[in-house]
Amino acid sequence: MYEVSEAVRGDGSKIPVIITSAGELHESSKWTAYLVSSGYSPNTVRQYASRLAAFLAWMSQHTDWREASVSHVIMWRNFIAQSSIDDRNSQNRKRKSSTVRL
């Protein structure tokens, strides 16, 4: 439902943005622009944007993202803690709970 893409700024530089399933720029892209202007690494901003896009997709199954509460963040953390990831050997495994921090 949400994906990370790149927008080209007026100066030709690229910035990670979050696009909705309708192909529209999501409001949260203001945050990624802020991170870039604050000097964060483009790779860091891209990683943050991809995690935010995943959260927005998850939230869309529960409620509007503007209605997010602490309870939703806790449910998201639990969802992430239970999800599987591919490790360096391309093997599917559970996350270690110590890696899921908020």
Side-chain angles (χ1 to χ4, degrees):
M1 279 198 196
Y2 296 89
E3 65 180 47
V4 178
S5 187
E6 287 186 328
V8 179
R9 297 174 121 180
D11 63 2
S13 63
K14 294 180 181 178
I15 181 171
V17 293
I18 298 173
I19 304 296
T20 67
S21 57
E24 299 171 345
L25 187 67
H26 190 268
E27 288 179 58
S28 61
S29 295
K30 293 176 186 175
W31 181 64
T32 60
Y34 166 78
L35 293 175
V36 169
S37 67
S38 296
Y40 282 75
S41 156
N43 289 335
T44 298
V45 178
R46 206 172 356 272
Q47 286 297 315
Y48 287 177
S50 69
R51 290 181 174 115
L52 180 55
F55 176 73
L56 291 169
W58 180 85
M59 277 297 295
S60 70
Q61 298 172 14
H62 300 279
T63 189
D64 185 272
W65 66 274
R66 290 177 283 272
E67 303 293 322
S69 67
V70 172
S71 296
H72 289 106
V73 174
I74 292 168
M75 289 188 306
W76 168 250
R77 186 209 175 278
N78 292 338
F79 172 76
I80 292 299
Q82 295 300 314
S83 64
S84 298
I85 59 171
D86 290 332
D87 64 15
R88 291 185 182 116
N89 299 321
S90 297
Q91 294 182 359
N92 202 325
R93 64 175 177 81
K94 292 285 185 187
R95 298 173 189 268
K96 293 181 181 177
S97 60
S98 63
T99 66
V100 183
R101 293 180 236 131
L102 297 178

